[in-house]
Amino acid sequence: MELQKPRGTRDFLPEEMNKRRYIENKLRGVAAHWGYGEIKTPTFEHIELFTLKSGEGILGEIYNFKDKGEREIALRPELTAPVVRMYVEELQRSPKPLKFFYFDNCFRYERPQKGRFREFFQFGVEIIGSSRPESDAEVIALAVEMLKSAGVRGDLHVGNLGIVRALINEIGSQHQSKIMRLVDKKDDKGLEEFLDTIHAPDDIKGKLFRLIGLHGENAIHEARELVGDIDAITQFKALLDLLDVYGLEYQVDFGIARGLDYYTGMVFEIYCEGLGAQNQVCGGGSYRLAALFGGEDTASTGYAIGFDRIMEICEVNPEPAKRMVVVSFEDTRKEAIVIAMKLREHIDTYLDVMGRKFKDQIAYANTIGASHVIIVGKNELDAGKLALKDMKTGDQELVSMEEVVARINK
RNA sequence: GCCUGGGUGGGGUAGCUGGUUAUCCUAUGGGACUGUGGAUCCUACGACUCGGGUUCGAAUCCCGACCCGGGCCCCA
């Protein structure tokens, strides 16, 4: 084997592509029904777009290169930044809210593992222009609905960064993102040590640990007692009420955090079994990125589904397509082409291109699982009909083209 | 970047305490069979991941690289 695909990339053969397209179309269908429009952004962007969003630290995980004009280019590692860039560049004056969905490949230079590749696919959604609980709730409900359409059921965790941030507000801002990262990692030990080294007040420390440990029905009320009757609590309560209206099952989880400042309020993640260490299939939240990219400050909410991960666990399988094979003889090959062309208006039709003998053509039809075979021979042509052979029963009869079409449509 | 297991024809395998022409199954092309499929037989095709080392001799032992799996780190 002289050549092989680069590490962490994959080839998709027809059988798998068929399944991937099927699931993709399910997700697309849901997004479209909810009123979202598909967008597409470039495969590569200026690298600043991503360092601006995520810091210089991501450089080690990005595929980047200098183009012939000496520009620093990066293959997109995610799609939120490009979408917001697109918004700032050409859509700031469009009527709000903007509702978009996308499905595309992304690239990250990482160690491949189960559910983790260097080229991977994300299906995502963004609402731009609303900071209200209604948009947060809609986005979460849409995520769950999409997963459901793909036959995937996961655990939904919902949190709010405004609440956590309010609690650690008194702590120097230079420490806050580090705290958020430790919270997100569920690294209680590391968190405690860090809080000690920066001499965080004991009552804040205690409250923080209580907050991120909250769960169950009363979590919101207990959170209110911890941080007071702040705006974030009101917003979060409104969101949870709406999630109830959508009929969603969820778990309040203040342990979901992001170490980046532009995540402001709602955050959510969906986890699934059966994926090993990469058990998160969907992550999202509300954020304010537009200003960072030079636009007016604008609220957005969105999420991305790890498409490869749901492919790994989804149970849904497409119906196998019906296939017809047109079988001919040495002296009827040309007629067979014409007949195949007509049949292709109605059904997936195969035609021999190997110059095979009659018998081998039928054997081939069998190996590809054709449901029917049309035999085009002198006898049939003379009678002005076609021989339709059912590959399951072996039955065969002389029928007209119209009858063949009628039966296919049944 | 770190730890760990693994790489033999397209797929699945035997060999792996060094020594024939690297085994078998399957898949694929052609044929036996010139208007009727799944069978059978014949035939063709096709592999030791790569590079070093040890040795008279390496698929086999050693080292490194590459790739795959699992975990860590990271997770925008």
Side-chain angles (χ1 to χ4, degrees), chain A residues 34-37 39 83 86-87 91-101 125-132 134-136 138-139 298-302:
Chain A
W34 284 54
Y36 289 67
I39 54 169
V83 171
M86 178 190 79
Y87 164 73
L91 293 168
Q92 292 197 73
R93 300 283 170 244
S94 305
K96 305 294 185 305
L98 296 164
K99 296 185 173 186
F100 298 134
F101 77 87
V125 156
E126 314 287 344
I127 295 186
I128 300 174
S130 165
S131 61
R132 295 185 54 86
E134 286 90 332
S135 55
D136 289 347
E138 176 170 306
V139 152
T298 310
S300 330
T301 302

Short mmCIF file of all heavy atoms in Angstrom, two decimals, chain A residues 34-37 39 83 86-87 91-101 125-132 134-136 138-139 298-302:
data_model
loop_
_atom_site.label_atom_id
_atom_site.label_comp_id
_atom_site.label_asym_id
_atom_site.label_seq_id
_atom_site.Cartn_x
_atom_site.Cartn_y
_atom_site.Cartn_z
N TRP A 34 -38.55 24.12 11.13
CA TRP A 34 -38.55 25.09 12.23
C TRP A 34 -38.23 26.50 11.72
O TRP A 34 -38.07 27.42 12.51
CB TRP A 34 -37.55 24.69 13.32
CG TRP A 34 -38.04 23.55 14.18
CD1 TRP A 34 -38.50 22.33 13.77
CD2 TRP A 34 -38.15 23.54 15.61
NE1 TRP A 34 -38.86 21.55 14.83
CE2 TRP A 34 -38.65 22.28 15.98
CE3 TRP A 34 -37.84 24.45 16.62
CZ2 TRP A 34 -38.88 21.91 17.30
CZ3 TRP A 34 -38.05 24.09 17.94
CH2 TRP A 34 -38.57 22.83 18.27
N GLY A 35 -38.09 26.61 10.42
CA GLY A 35 -37.91 27.94 9.84
C GLY A 35 -36.48 28.42 9.75
O GLY A 35 -36.23 29.62 9.68
N TYR A 36 -35.54 27.50 9.71
CA TYR A 36 -34.14 27.88 9.62
C TYR A 36 -33.66 27.73 8.18
O TYR A 36 -34.08 26.81 7.48
CB TYR A 36 -33.28 27.02 10.56
CG TYR A 36 -33.51 27.37 12.02
CD1 TYR A 36 -34.74 27.11 12.63
CD2 TYR A 36 -32.54 27.99 12.78
CE1 TYR A 36 -34.98 27.45 13.95
CE2 TYR A 36 -32.77 28.34 14.10
CZ TYR A 36 -33.99 28.06 14.69
OH TYR A 36 -34.22 28.42 16.00
N GLY A 37 -32.80 28.64 7.76
CA GLY A 37 -32.31 28.62 6.38
C GLY A 37 -30.88 28.13 6.33
O GLY A 37 -30.07 28.47 7.20
N ILE A 39 -27.07 27.82 5.36
CA ILE A 39 -25.99 28.68 4.90
C ILE A 39 -24.74 27.85 4.71
O ILE A 39 -24.64 26.71 5.19
CB ILE A 39 -25.68 29.80 5.92
CG1 ILE A 39 -25.41 29.19 7.28
CG2 ILE A 39 -26.81 30.80 5.98
CD1 ILE A 39 -24.83 30.16 8.25
N VAL A 83 -19.85 31.77 10.91
CA VAL A 83 -21.22 32.25 10.75
C VAL A 83 -21.35 33.67 11.28
O VAL A 83 -21.96 34.54 10.64
CB VAL A 83 -22.21 31.31 11.48
CG1 VAL A 83 -23.61 31.92 11.52
CG2 VAL A 83 -22.26 29.95 10.81
N MET A 86 -19.71 36.04 8.95
CA MET A 86 -20.59 36.28 7.81
C MET A 86 -21.68 37.29 8.18
O MET A 86 -21.99 38.20 7.41
CB MET A 86 -21.23 34.96 7.39
CG MET A 86 -22.21 35.08 6.25
SD MET A 86 -23.13 33.54 6.02
CE MET A 86 -24.33 33.69 7.31
N TYR A 87 -22.20 37.12 9.37
CA TYR A 87 -23.23 38.04 9.85
C TYR A 87 -22.69 39.47 9.92
O TYR A 87 -23.30 40.40 9.40
CB TYR A 87 -23.73 37.60 11.23
CG TYR A 87 -24.49 38.68 11.96
CD1 TYR A 87 -25.77 39.04 11.55
CD2 TYR A 87 -23.91 39.38 13.01
CE1 TYR A 87 -26.46 40.06 12.19
CE2 TYR A 87 -24.58 40.40 13.66
CZ TYR A 87 -25.85 40.74 13.25
OH TYR A 87 -26.51 41.75 13.87
N LEU A 91 -24.69 40.96 7.07
CA LEU A 91 -26.11 40.78 7.44
C LEU A 91 -26.55 41.61 8.65
O LEU A 91 -27.64 41.38 9.18
CB LEU A 91 -26.36 39.30 7.74
CG LEU A 91 -26.25 38.36 6.55
CD1 LEU A 91 -26.22 36.92 7.02
CD2 LEU A 91 -27.39 38.58 5.58
N GLN A 92 -25.74 42.55 9.07
CA GLN A 92 -26.09 43.26 10.30
C GLN A 92 -27.39 44.04 10.19
O GLN A 92 -28.05 44.28 11.18
CB GLN A 92 -24.96 44.20 10.72
CG GLN A 92 -23.72 43.45 11.15
CD GLN A 92 -22.75 44.33 11.94
OE1 GLN A 92 -23.01 44.66 13.08
NE2 GLN A 92 -21.67 44.73 11.30
N ARG A 93 -27.73 44.44 8.97
CA ARG A 93 -28.96 45.23 8.81
C ARG A 93 -30.16 44.36 8.39
O ARG A 93 -31.18 44.88 7.99
CB ARG A 93 -28.74 46.33 7.78
CG ARG A 93 -27.65 47.30 8.14
CD ARG A 93 -28.11 48.30 9.20
NE ARG A 93 -26.99 49.06 9.71
CZ ARG A 93 -26.58 49.01 10.98
NH1 ARG A 93 -27.22 48.27 11.87
NH2 ARG A 93 -25.55 49.71 11.38
N SER A 94 -30.01 43.08 8.46
CA SER A 94 -31.13 42.21 8.08
C SER A 94 -32.13 42.13 9.22
O SER A 94 -31.77 42.32 10.37
CB SER A 94 -30.62 40.81 7.77
OG SER A 94 -29.62 40.87 6.78
N PRO A 95 -33.40 41.88 8.90
CA PRO A 95 -34.41 41.77 9.94
C PRO A 95 -34.09 40.63 10.92
O PRO A 95 -33.69 39.55 10.49
CB PRO A 95 -35.70 41.48 9.16
CG PRO A 95 -35.32 41.24 7.76
CD PRO A 95 -33.94 41.72 7.54
N LYS A 96 -34.26 40.92 12.20
CA LYS A 96 -33.95 39.94 13.23
C LYS A 96 -35.23 39.20 13.64
O LYS A 96 -36.30 39.76 13.54
CB LYS A 96 -33.36 40.64 14.46
CG LYS A 96 -32.14 41.50 14.16
CD LYS A 96 -30.98 40.68 13.69
CE LYS A 96 -29.71 41.50 13.49
NZ LYS A 96 -29.81 42.65 12.60
N PRO A 97 -35.15 38.01 14.12
CA PRO A 97 -33.90 37.27 14.28
C PRO A 97 -33.51 36.57 12.99
O PRO A 97 -34.35 36.25 12.16
CB PRO A 97 -34.27 36.23 15.35
CG PRO A 97 -35.71 35.92 15.04
CD PRO A 97 -36.32 37.23 14.58
N LEU A 98 -32.21 36.28 12.87
CA LEU A 98 -31.73 35.46 11.77
C LEU A 98 -31.63 34.02 12.28
O LEU A 98 -31.13 33.79 13.38
CB LEU A 98 -30.36 35.95 11.31
CG LEU A 98 -30.37 37.36 10.74
CD1 LEU A 98 -28.96 37.92 10.68
CD2 LEU A 98 -31.00 37.36 9.36
N LYS A 99 -32.15 33.10 11.48
CA LYS A 99 -32.12 31.70 11.90
C LYS A 99 -31.44 30.87 10.82
O LYS A 99 -31.95 30.74 9.71
CB LYS A 99 -33.55 31.20 12.12
CG LYS A 99 -34.27 31.93 13.25
CD LYS A 99 -35.62 31.30 13.51
CE LYS A 99 -36.27 31.91 14.75
NZ LYS A 99 -37.53 31.22 15.09
N PHE A 100 -30.32 30.31 11.17
CA PHE A 100 -29.50 29.59 10.18
C PHE A 100 -29.21 28.17 10.63
O PHE A 100 -29.10 27.90 11.83
CB PHE A 100 -28.15 30.28 10.00
CG PHE A 100 -28.24 31.68 9.47
CD1 PHE A 100 -27.50 32.70 10.05
CD2 PHE A 100 -29.06 31.99 8.38
CE1 PHE A 100 -27.57 34.00 9.55
CE2 PHE A 100 -29.13 33.28 7.89
CZ PHE A 100 -28.39 34.28 8.48
N PHE A 101 -29.04 27.30 9.65
CA PHE A 101 -28.42 26.01 9.97
C PHE A 101 -27.35 25.71 8.95
O PHE A 101 -27.32 26.28 7.86
CB PHE A 101 -29.45 24.87 10.05
CG PHE A 101 -29.95 24.35 8.72
CD1 PHE A 101 -29.27 23.34 8.06
CD2 PHE A 101 -31.12 24.85 8.15
CE1 PHE A 101 -29.73 22.83 6.84
CE2 PHE A 101 -31.59 24.35 6.94
CZ PHE A 101 -30.90 23.34 6.28
N VAL A 125 -26.79 25.06 14.33
CA VAL A 125 -27.88 26.01 14.21
C VAL A 125 -27.50 27.27 14.98
O VAL A 125 -26.88 27.18 16.05
CB VAL A 125 -29.16 25.37 14.82
CG1 VAL A 125 -30.15 26.43 15.26
CG2 VAL A 125 -29.80 24.41 13.83
N GLU A 126 -27.83 28.44 14.46
CA GLU A 126 -27.62 29.68 15.20
C GLU A 126 -28.84 30.59 15.03
O GLU A 126 -29.39 30.69 13.93
CB GLU A 126 -26.39 30.46 14.68
CG GLU A 126 -25.12 29.66 14.44
CD GLU A 126 -24.40 29.22 15.70
OE1 GLU A 126 -24.69 29.77 16.78
OE2 GLU A 126 -23.55 28.31 15.60
N ILE A 127 -29.24 31.20 16.14
CA ILE A 127 -30.19 32.31 16.07
C ILE A 127 -29.41 33.58 16.39
O ILE A 127 -28.75 33.63 17.44
CB ILE A 127 -31.32 32.18 17.11
CG1 ILE A 127 -32.20 30.98 16.82
CG2 ILE A 127 -32.19 33.45 17.10
CD1 ILE A 127 -33.41 30.90 17.73
N ILE A 128 -29.48 34.56 15.53
CA ILE A 128 -28.74 35.80 15.76
C ILE A 128 -29.73 36.94 15.96
O ILE A 128 -30.66 37.10 15.16
CB ILE A 128 -27.81 36.11 14.58
CG1 ILE A 128 -26.81 34.96 14.40
CG2 ILE A 128 -27.07 37.43 14.81
CD1 ILE A 128 -25.93 35.09 13.19
N GLY A 129 -29.55 37.68 17.02
CA GLY A 129 -30.36 38.88 17.22
C GLY A 129 -31.34 38.80 18.37
O GLY A 129 -32.12 39.72 18.58
N SER A 130 -31.31 37.70 19.11
CA SER A 130 -32.22 37.62 20.26
C SER A 130 -31.47 37.12 21.48
O SER A 130 -30.67 36.20 21.39
CB SER A 130 -33.37 36.67 19.96
OG SER A 130 -34.03 36.33 21.17
N SER A 131 -31.74 37.75 22.61
CA SER A 131 -31.12 37.27 23.85
C SER A 131 -32.20 36.75 24.80
O SER A 131 -31.95 36.54 25.96
CB SER A 131 -30.37 38.43 24.52
OG SER A 131 -31.27 39.47 24.84
N ARG A 132 -33.38 36.56 24.27
CA ARG A 132 -34.49 36.21 25.15
C ARG A 132 -34.54 34.72 25.45
O ARG A 132 -34.04 33.90 24.68
CB ARG A 132 -35.81 36.65 24.51
CG ARG A 132 -35.92 38.15 24.36
CD ARG A 132 -37.28 38.53 23.83
NE ARG A 132 -38.36 37.98 24.66
CZ ARG A 132 -38.86 38.57 25.74
NH1 ARG A 132 -38.37 39.72 26.13
NH2 ARG A 132 -39.84 38.01 26.41
N GLU A 134 -36.91 32.82 25.07
CA GLU A 134 -37.64 32.13 24.00
C GLU A 134 -36.68 31.55 22.96
O GLU A 134 -36.89 30.44 22.46
CB GLU A 134 -38.62 33.08 23.30
CG GLU A 134 -39.85 33.41 24.09
CD GLU A 134 -39.67 34.64 24.98
OE1 GLU A 134 -38.52 34.92 25.39
OE2 GLU A 134 -40.68 35.32 25.25
N SER A 135 -35.66 32.31 22.59
CA SER A 135 -34.74 31.79 21.58
C SER A 135 -33.86 30.69 22.17
O SER A 135 -33.58 29.69 21.49
CB SER A 135 -33.90 32.91 20.97
OG SER A 135 -33.22 33.62 21.96
N ASP A 136 -33.44 30.86 23.41
CA ASP A 136 -32.67 29.79 24.05
C ASP A 136 -33.47 28.49 24.09
O ASP A 136 -32.96 27.42 23.76
CB ASP A 136 -32.31 30.19 25.49
CG ASP A 136 -31.26 31.31 25.53
OD1 ASP A 136 -30.64 31.56 24.48
OD2 ASP A 136 -31.07 31.89 26.60
N GLU A 138 -36.04 27.65 22.23
CA GLU A 138 -36.29 27.10 20.90
C GLU A 138 -35.09 26.32 20.39
O GLU A 138 -35.22 25.23 19.81
CB GLU A 138 -36.65 28.22 19.91
CG GLU A 138 -36.81 27.69 18.48
CD GLU A 138 -37.40 28.73 17.54
OE1 GLU A 138 -38.48 29.27 17.85
OE2 GLU A 138 -36.79 28.97 16.48
N VAL A 139 -33.93 26.89 20.62
CA VAL A 139 -32.71 26.25 20.14
C VAL A 139 -32.50 24.90 20.83
O VAL A 139 -32.14 23.91 20.18
CB VAL A 139 -31.52 27.22 20.37
CG1 VAL A 139 -30.23 26.47 20.54
CG2 VAL A 139 -31.42 28.20 19.22
N THR A 298 -24.15 41.96 19.50
CA THR A 298 -25.38 41.27 19.14
C THR A 298 -25.45 39.95 19.88
O THR A 298 -24.45 39.23 19.97
CB THR A 298 -25.42 40.97 17.62
OG1 THR A 298 -25.12 42.16 16.91
CG2 THR A 298 -26.77 40.44 17.20
N ALA A 299 -26.62 39.64 20.40
CA ALA A 299 -26.78 38.38 21.11
C ALA A 299 -27.07 37.25 20.12
O ALA A 299 -27.78 37.46 19.14
CB ALA A 299 -27.92 38.48 22.12
N SER A 300 -26.55 36.09 20.38
CA SER A 300 -26.86 34.92 19.55
C SER A 300 -26.96 33.69 20.44
O SER A 300 -26.46 33.68 21.56
CB SER A 300 -25.77 34.66 18.51
OG SER A 300 -25.14 35.82 18.11
N THR A 301 -27.59 32.69 19.86
CA THR A 301 -27.69 31.41 20.54
C THR A 301 -27.53 30.33 19.48
O THR A 301 -28.06 30.48 18.39
CB THR A 301 -29.07 31.24 21.20
OG1 THR A 301 -29.28 32.31 22.12
CG2 THR A 301 -29.14 29.94 21.96
N GLY A 302 -26.83 29.29 19.83
CA GLY A 302 -26.68 28.23 18.84
C GLY A 302 -26.11 26.97 19.44
O GLY A 302 -25.84 26.90 20.63
#
